[in-house]
Amino acid sequence: MPIQPGDTLPDIELQLMGAKGPEKVRTRDLFAGKKAVLFAVPGAFTPTCSAAHLPGFVVNADKLRAKGVDAIVCTSVNDAFVMDAWGKAHNAEEIIMLADGLGEFAKTLDLTQDRTANGMGIRSQRYAMIVNDGKVELLHVDAQGLDKTSAETILEALQ
């Protein structure tokens, strides 16, 4: 069963791009004491993810922060180099680009999808959640499109 509102995020080691290359970060530390929006995409540089999902959070970063969000985090089953390049290509300086290179975070959340028919392997589902001090307050998953997981939808959900 996928993670649910009320559950605590699993403590998984992932990667961020640092000044000297990829750096390890634990989800426990990344989300501790913060109100965060965490959204996941099936793949960096893929059409919907690049044309709408990430750009929506970039454009609305200030509005999210105005509603009390301390961190906006994007994750994908890609390595830290790809996530960093994708973030730079979309001027996503306000977004923490979190690499789930082995898909362990997506698997532990039970939010994976099989894209082997498209040559992509096991990927994350498209989701967005509000996390408060590591605990999931809201989770939306989109099987297709961005109706439930867009920045605009998350903005509306924030109290």
Side-chain angles (χ1 to χ4, degrees):
M1 170 186 255
I3 195 164
Q4 297 293 310
D7 292 347
T8 299
L9 287 176
D11 184 28
I12 301 288
E13 186 176 271
L14 299 172
Q15 290 188 337
L16 301 169
M17 185 57 73
K20 296 181 181 180
E23 296 177 355
K24 295 176 182 178
V25 63
R26 297 212 61 95
T27 53
R28 167 189 64 226
D29 300 330
L30 184 61
F31 292 98
K34 296 178 188 133
K35 183 165 194 161
V37 171
L38 169 64
F39 69 101
V41 298
F45 292 106
T46 56
T48 301
C49 306
S50 289
H53 208 180
L54 177 60
F57 283 95
V58 170
V59 169
N60 287 292
D62 289 341
K63 292 178 184 173
L64 290 162
R65 291 198 189 284
K67 289 207 173 193
V69 172
D70 301 305
I72 305 164
V73 182
C74 176
T75 188
S76 182
V77 181
N78 289 108
D79 63 55
F81 295 99
V82 170
M83 292 299 287
D84 183 57
W86 189 45
K88 286 176 179 171
H90 288 276
N91 300 311
E93 296 87 18
E94 301 269 340
I95 314 292
I96 297 169
M97 303 301 283
L98 187 62
D100 184 16
L102 300 174
E104 292 176 348
F105 189 58
K107 288 174 194 167
T108 304
L109 295 176
D110 196 18
L111 288 170
T112 60
Q113 60 179 313
D114 187 346
R115 291 283 187 95
T116 54
N118 299 31
M120 294 175 69
I122 303 299
R123 295 295 179 130
S124 177
Q125 291 184 46
R126 184 181 308 281
Y127 66 81
M129 61 175 75
I130 298 171
V131 179
N132 198 347
D133 194 23
K135 187 177 272 192
V136 178
E137 290 185 345
L138 173 128
L139 170 66
H140 289 178
V141 179
D142 271 317
Q144 293 183 7
L146 297 174
D147 296 336
K148 299 175 188 173
T149 62
S150 70
E152 295 80 8
T153 299
I154 297 304
L155 265 170
E156 290 176 16
L158 283 164
Q159 303 300 333

